[in-house]
């Protein structure tokens, strides 16, 4: 262990001394496209996530963060989880499988954030979750666009807190092979192929990831009943840390074939082990081996009848699986240790679940200053029946739990939306007005009209002041109908008012680009299950609210051989009302992000990223498990380092996570046990890629 730490220290010293290597001239830094972070390109960057059409980043409606391929390669981020850590107002708690959380101080199962791949929804059908695991390797991603705040007007349900649009590398005309290796058996491989000949284009991106994720620190943590669990099961659990396993495997395939205006494509993801360390069972270490996977196939045609009209028709088929294989436990009277338990294998399947979807969107360019977008979105969803396979004395019993809402398995949705935009211009000034409305009709929930409006004022081409108002909704899931008699449930809702100021400027030859936003967001209609004696069953009561005021900012900069970013967020208050009770949320009031990249010479770079979270307060079980209490999870600061060499054809480097081996935790925003989640100790990984 000592030699291991010394190796890290030696490497750290080499990295730090490398910063004093001879510098190249400012001229060569500007001419080298491998290093450049051209702010002119950022200002002229066309983003689509804010308006479902291409528009300049600076004048886009609302607050949009763009994480470019340049950012990803410089900082060495391996997957989408690490990329999102650079966005100042993303909230999450990593529990060693998927990534629960939210945006702007709202947290949970990530059902309020709409997940898109190349503009197509890949939200979990069963629980409306943006299911982010290691199935989003950075090698798969060209850039990430993050829209903050509700946007159901254009995107429909689940865009209550914002939208994440992952732009893949399909069609960028690069071919690449990448491999990565790290501690605890971490391996990753990725291949990218792009081909175009006249009107024909073919693109394929495929990745594979596996990791044991069995750090010694994590093994010891999960059997610490004071820090981790505090469950009534603890006295009878298997507390042998050597039995711990949390290995994860997944693969992804993105593909697209286009000819002239027709195209066909697919996004496929398959994962093994999505339990992480969240579930606490008697034999946690051998139970809950879960598998999830989805496939989204699509066929479409782009249409452009004339210079003013352009549109698109697309049909998609989405299929999702959920499978579990775990141990069920019977506790005999007088059981005093794990060996006294009676355990049988139990399998639980839901699926396959299917969705057939038809979308069409049209844009009419009225003149140079005005355009109209309108579209239709409709689907038919069939949720697979939940079936359990229970083995007892060598016999297998198949059954569907009585709480499963069989009458809610099939549903349809129809929605129409439109948005009008007009720009008024005088001298160097401009004012863009955008106003949109969606009508949404969906089974088992209320119909809704969802507005969104924004004003963008630019006194010149370098700055913009934006005022945005938006509303959004999240429909109930089939799980939220468990054990209830309600035929319909009102959707959860979100409203937002936001003031944004974005600007680019030069100070002492340093280029800056900044985003700052003040906002107020209010969520209503939480679901609370109540046993009603009058009807002799469960019903769901719609109650509660959660209101947040906040500020967020991000500043990117570049000067000669340096470039970097600074991010900050502060929210107040951070509590919510459920019924008549107020409870503390598991999110930090403020966060600070700071990244710095330095060019050592023509090909070598070194980058560091500092992440600081304020303390959080979490509700946890008491040690005697007779009740709950609020506990503090300490504030923490971590530093990640990336040293790499980049040429025209290859990149190789080393990445150190948690450089100073800081013990830090994420709180649990989904329950009172476990108390908190230990994050990764210091570890190292190597990566190599070849482009051709």
């Amino acid at each position: 262990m000592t030699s291991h730490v010394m190796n890290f220290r030696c490497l750290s010293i080499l990295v730090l001394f490398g910063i004093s290597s001879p510098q190249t001239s400012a001229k060569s830094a500007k001419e080298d496209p491998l290093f450049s972070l051209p702010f002119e390109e950022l200002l002229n960057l066309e983003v689509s996530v804010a308006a479902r059409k291409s528009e300049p980043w600076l004048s886009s409606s609302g607050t949009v963060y763009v994480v470019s391929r340049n950012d990803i390669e410089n900082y060495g981020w391996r997957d989408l989880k690490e990329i999102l850590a650079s966005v100042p107002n993303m909230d999450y708690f990593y529990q060693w499988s998927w990534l629960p959380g939210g945006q702007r101080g709202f947290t949970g199962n990530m059902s309020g954030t709409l997940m898109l791949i190349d503009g197509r929804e890949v939200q979990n059908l069963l629980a409306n979750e943006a299911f982010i695991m290691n199935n989003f390797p950075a090698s798969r991603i060209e850039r990430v666009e993050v829209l903050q705040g509700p946007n159901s007007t254009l995107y429909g349900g689940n865009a209550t807190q914002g939208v994440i649009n992952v732009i893949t590398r399909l069609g960028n005309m690069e071919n690449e092979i990448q491999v990565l290796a790290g501690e605890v058996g971490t391996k990753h491989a990725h291949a990218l192929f792009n081909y175009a000949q006249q009107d024909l284009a073919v693109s394929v991106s495929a990745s594979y990831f596996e990791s044991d994720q069995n750090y010694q620190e994590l093994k010891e943590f999960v059997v610490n009943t004071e820090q981790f669990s505090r469950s009534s099961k603890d006295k009878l659990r298997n507390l042998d840390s050597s039995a711990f396993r949390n290995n994860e495997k997944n693969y992804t395939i993105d593909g697209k074939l286009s000819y002239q205006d027709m195209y066909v494509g697919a996004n496929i993801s398959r994962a093994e082990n999505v339990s992480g360390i969240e579930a606490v069972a008697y034999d946690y270490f051998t139970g809950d081996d879960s598998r999830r996977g989805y496939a989204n196939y699509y066929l479409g045609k782009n249409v452009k009848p004339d210079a003013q009209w352009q549109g698109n028709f697309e049909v998609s088929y989405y299929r999702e699986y959920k499978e579990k294989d775990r141990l069920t436990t019977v506790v005999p009277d007088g059981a005093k240790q794990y060996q006294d338990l009676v355990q049988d294998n139990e399998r639980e399947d839901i699926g396959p679940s299917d969705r057939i979807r038809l979308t069409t969107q049209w844009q009419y360019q009225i003149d140079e200053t005005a355009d109209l977008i309108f579209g239709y979105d409709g689907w038919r969803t069939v949720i697979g029946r939940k079936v359990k396979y229970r083995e007892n004395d060598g016999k297998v019993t198949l059954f569907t739990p009585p709480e499963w809402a069989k009458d809610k398995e099939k549903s349809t949705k129809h929605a129409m939306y439109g948005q009008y935009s007009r720009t008024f211009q005088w001298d160097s000034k401009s004012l863009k007005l955008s106003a949109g409305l969606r009508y949404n009709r969906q089974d088992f929930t209320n119909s809704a009209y969802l507005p969104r409006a924004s004003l963008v004022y630019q006194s010149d081409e370098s700055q913009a002041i934006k005022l945005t108002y938006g509303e959004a909704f999240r429909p109930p899931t089939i799980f939220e109908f468990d054990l209830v008699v309600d035929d319909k449930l009102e959707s959860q809702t979100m409203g937002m008012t936001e003031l944004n100021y974005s600007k680019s400027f030069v100070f002492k030859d340093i280029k800056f680009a900044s985003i700052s936003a003040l906002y107020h967001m209010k969520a209503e209609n939480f679901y609370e299950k109540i046993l009603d004696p009058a009807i002799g069953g469960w019903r769901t009561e719609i109650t509660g609210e959660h209101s947040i005021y906040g500020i967020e900012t991000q500043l990117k900069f570049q000067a000669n051989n340096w470039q970097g970013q600074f991010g900050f967020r502060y929210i107040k208050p951070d509590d919510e009302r459920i019924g008549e009770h107020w409870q503390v949320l598991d999110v930090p009031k403020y966060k600070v992000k700071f990244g710095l990249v330095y060019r050592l010479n023509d090909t070598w770079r070194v980058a560091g990223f500092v992440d600081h979270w304020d303390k959080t307060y979490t509700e946890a079980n008491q040690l005697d498990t007779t009740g709950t209490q609020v506990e503090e999870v300490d504030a923490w600061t971590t530093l990640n380092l990336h040293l790499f060499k980049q040429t025209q054809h290859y990149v190789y480097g080393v990445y150190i996570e948690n450089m100073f081996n800081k013990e830090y935790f994420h709180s649990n925003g989904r329950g009172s046990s476990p108390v908190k989640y230990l994050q990764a100790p210091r570890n190292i990984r190597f990566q190599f890629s070849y482009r051709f």
Side-chain angles (χ1 to χ4, degrees):
M1 184 68 180
T2 304
S3 60
H4 182 64
V5 173
M6 290 182 64
N7 289 337
F8 275 113
R9 290 176 178 172
C10 292
L11 180 58
S12 306
I13 293 171
L14 289 174
V15 171
L16 294 174
F17 273 99
I19 294 178
S20 62
S21 300
Q23 298 182 13
T24 56
S25 66
K27 180 179 179 181
S28 65
K30 293 177 181 178
E31 291 176 350
D32 184 0
L34 296 175
F35 176 71
S36 62
L37 177 66
F39 277 65
E40 295 80 5
E41 177 184 329
L42 176 63
L43 298 178
N44 296 323
L45 179 67
E46 297 284 319
V47 297
S48 59
V49 70
R52 289 182 70 106
K53 67 173 183 178
S54 293
E55 60 181 354
W57 165 79
L58 188 62
S59 61
S60 60
S61 303
T63 299
V64 179
Y65 296 99
V66 179
V67 184
S68 68
R69 186 73 203 159
N70 183 281
D71 293 325
I72 295 170
E73 292 179 345
N74 277 331
Y75 292 109
W77 295 323
R78 191 194 62 77
D79 58 21
L80 183 59
K81 300 191 305 296
E82 296 181 1
I83 292 171
L84 293 178
S86 69
V87 177
N89 220 342
M90 288 295 304
D91 285 291
Y92 56 83
F93 44 99
Y94 185 49
Q95 40 88 342
W96 293 93
S97 57
W98 63 291
L99 194 71
Q103 295 171 257
R104 289 187 160 178
F106 296 88
T107 191
N109 65 346
M110 200 71 87
S111 61
T113 294
L114 186 67
M115 188 76 227
L116 308 176
I117 298 178
D118 291 329
R120 297 175 183 88
E121 180 179 342
V122 290
Q123 206 83 351
N124 176 288
L125 293 180
L126 296 172
N128 288 339
E129 298 155 332
F131 211 74
I132 301 171
M133 298 179 64
N134 291 292
N135 56 343
F136 285 93
S139 52
R140 182 188 185 190
I141 300 171
E142 179 66 23
R143 75 173 185 269
V144 178
E145 300 174 356
V146 179
L147 173 66
Q148 299 285 69
N151 201 357
S152 282
T153 302
L154 295 178
Y155 289 103
N158 306 315
T160 56
Q161 300 163 21
V163 181
I164 299 173
N165 187 21
V166 173
I167 311 292
T168 66
R169 301 173 69 188
L170 299 181
N172 70 355
M173 300 319 298
E174 283 186 342
N175 300 314
E176 182 182 72
I177 296 174
Q178 183 178 100
V179 293
L180 178 148
E183 298 182 46
V184 294
T186 301
K187 305 179 186 68
H188 164 69
H190 176 259
L192 173 69
F193 173 76
N194 287 285
Y195 172 81
Q197 182 67 36
Q198 295 181 344
D199 293 333
L200 177 68
V202 181
S203 299
V204 178
S205 171
S207 70
Y208 175 79
F209 171 88
E210 70 171 283
S211 179
D212 294 333
Q213 302 187 132
N214 59 347
Y215 295 103
Q216 183 61 37
E217 293 86 344
L218 192 60
K219 290 181 180 182
E220 296 171 357
F221 172 68
V222 296
V223 296
N224 184 324
T225 56
E226 180 176 351
Q227 278 198 311
F228 172 65
S229 175
R230 298 190 190 175
S231 167
S232 59
K233 302 176 181 180
D234 286 336
K235 294 180 180 179
L236 296 176
R237 282 177 61 213
N238 179 7
L239 299 180
D240 178 9
S241 64
S242 64
F244 173 74
R245 74 168 187 260
N246 188 40
N247 51 303
E248 178 184 334
K249 296 180 181 178
N250 66 62
Y251 69 78
T252 65
I253 301 175
D254 302 307
K256 187 174 182 180
L257 170 66
S258 59
Y259 179 72
Q260 295 181 348
D261 294 326
M262 295 288 297
Y263 60 88
V264 60
N267 304 112
I268 301 171
S269 176
R270 183 71 174 174
E272 296 184 15
N273 184 10
V274 297
S275 298
I277 62 174
E278 181 180 37
V280 179
Y282 292 102
D283 190 347
Y284 172 78
F285 309 110
T286 57
D288 237 9
D289 179 16
S290 306
R291 302 183 180 185
R292 289 180 185 239
Y294 68 78
N296 188 42
Y297 305 96
Y298 55 89
L299 170 67
K301 180 176 177 59
N302 298 315
V303 182
K304 192 169 184 179
D306 54 42
Q308 288 182 290
W309 282 95
Q310 60 179 336
N312 171 270
F313 294 95
E314 186 170 295
V315 178
S316 63
Y317 173 68
Y318 183 95
R319 170 163 277 206
E320 177 180 295
Y321 301 86
K322 181 182 180 182
E323 306 164 356
K324 284 189 177 183
D325 190 11
R326 59 186 175 186
L327 292 176
T328 58
T329 303
V330 176
V331 183
D333 293 337
K336 296 182 179 180
Q337 58 184 346
Y338 173 73
Q339 288 74 16
D340 296 333
L341 304 179
V342 178
Q343 295 181 312
D344 292 299
N345 190 68
E346 180 182 83
R347 181 180 173 90
E348 177 186 285
D349 291 354
I350 304 178
S353 300
D354 304 275
R355 179 183 67 205
I356 299 176
R357 188 171 193 169
L358 171 65
T359 59
T360 182
Q361 178 174 298
W362 291 83
Q363 180 177 351
Y364 176 61
Q365 195 69 39
I366 301 172
D367 54 38
E368 293 183 355
T369 64
D371 68 76
L372 176 66
I373 290 177
F374 58 92
Y376 167 80
D377 181 10
W379 70 45
R380 173 70 166 172
T381 300
V382 179
I383 301 296
R385 179 70 49 87
K386 178 188 280 190
V387 178
K388 289 190 175 184
Y389 305 74
R390 181 170 295 169
E391 182 179 343
N392 189 8
D393 295 329
K395 298 180 180 180
V396 177
T397 304
L398 279 66
F399 66 98
T400 297
E403 68 271 14
W404 184 252
K406 298 178 182 179
D407 59 332
K408 304 297 191 299
E409 291 175 338
K410 298 179 180 180
S411 63
T412 59
K413 187 199 80 168
H414 301 279
M416 298 185 67
Y417 62 90
Q419 177 175 274
Y420 173 76
S421 298
R422 184 175 185 85
T423 302
F424 304 92
Q425 199 153 6
W426 64 99
D427 299 327
S428 61
K429 302 176 177 63
S430 67
L431 179 67
K432 184 176 79 171
L433 167 66
S434 298
L437 183 68
R438 169 182 286 255
Y439 171 71
N440 196 91
R441 184 169 65 83
Q442 194 163 327
D443 290 340
F444 314 128
T445 190
N446 54 305
S447 299
Y449 290 94
L450 301 156
R452 190 173 191 267
S454 71
L455 289 172
V456 180
Y457 171 71
Q458 292 186 259
S459 59
D460 54 50
E461 295 181 349
S462 67
Q463 58 185 336
I465 300 174
K466 311 176 188 182
L467 180 63
T468 304
Y469 172 80
E471 295 182 7
F473 76 105
R474 183 183 78 75
T477 71
I478 193 167
F479 291 128
E480 286 158 340
F481 283 103
D482 280 359
L483 290 173
V484 300
V485 297
D486 310 65
D487 183 52
K488 286 188 176 182
L489 293 177
E490 286 191 14
S491 294
Q492 297 182 3
T493 62
M494 179 78 77
M496 178 196 74
T497 304
E498 175 189 274
L499 178 64
N500 175 295
Y501 177 61
S502 301
K503 181 177 177 60
S504 69
F505 59 96
V506 178
F507 178 74
K508 294 186 180 297
D509 295 328
I510 306 175
K511 296 180 180 180
F512 294 92
S514 67
I515 304 173
S516 297
L518 288 167
Y519 63 88
H520 170 247
M521 292 172 60
K522 184 176 182 179
E524 295 181 288
N525 293 357
F526 295 149
Y527 301 140
E528 186 177 10
K529 292 182 180 179
I530 297 174
L531 183 61
D532 191 338
I535 61 176
W538 292 85
R539 63 181 175 85
T540 297
E541 183 174 305
I542 306 297
T543 182
E545 66 184 51
H546 177 192
S547 184
I548 281 184
Y549 293 87
I551 181 172
E552 63 188 72
T553 184
Q554 185 182 69
L555 178 69
K556 291 190 174 184
F557 55 89
Q558 177 182 348
N560 295 332
N561 296 322
W562 297 88
Q563 64 186 55
Q565 59 179 286
F566 171 81
F568 175 79
R569 87 94 180 266
Y570 180 81
I571 59 171
K572 182 178 175 55
D574 63 345
D575 49 7
E576 66 182 33
R577 179 175 65 84
I578 301 293
E580 299 301 321
H581 304 285
W582 291 87
Q583 66 184 44
V584 177
L585 283 184
D586 306 297
V587 291
K589 287 189 176 181
Y590 71 85
K591 294 181 180 180
V592 178
K593 319 279 183 176
F594 179 71
L596 194 62
V597 183
Y598 180 70
R599 173 192 175 101
L600 299 173
N601 54 39
D602 288 340
T603 58
W604 282 95
R605 322 270 191 276
V606 62
F609 198 89
V610 176
D611 199 358
H612 173 77
W613 290 25
D614 186 23
K615 63 176 181 273
T616 58
Y617 294 93
T618 185
E619 184 180 16
N621 285 334
Q622 296 176 351
L623 281 171
D624 59 8
T625 68
T626 58
T628 63
Q629 63 190 47
V630 174
E631 294 201 6
E632 180 179 311
V633 179
D634 292 337
W636 54 264
T637 304
T638 62
L639 169 65
N640 302 328
L641 282 182
H642 185 218
L643 175 66
F644 67 106
K645 181 174 183 176
Q646 181 175 4
T647 68
Q648 183 177 359
H649 292 292
Y650 65 86
V651 179
Y652 61 82
V654 58
Y655 185 92
I656 307 174
E657 181 180 3
N658 194 357
M659 177 71 185
F660 297 113
N661 204 25
K662 170 74 174 180
E663 184 182 71
Y664 70 107
F665 302 88
H666 288 175
S667 60
N668 181 2
R670 283 164 49 89
S672 58
S673 181
V675 180
K676 52 189 176 181
Y677 299 110
L678 179 72
Q679 299 304 292
R682 178 169 51 210
N683 63 93
I684 187 170
R685 62 183 184 239
F686 300 92
Q687 58 192 37
F688 171 83
S689 63
Y690 177 71
R691 295 175 183 171
F692 55 97

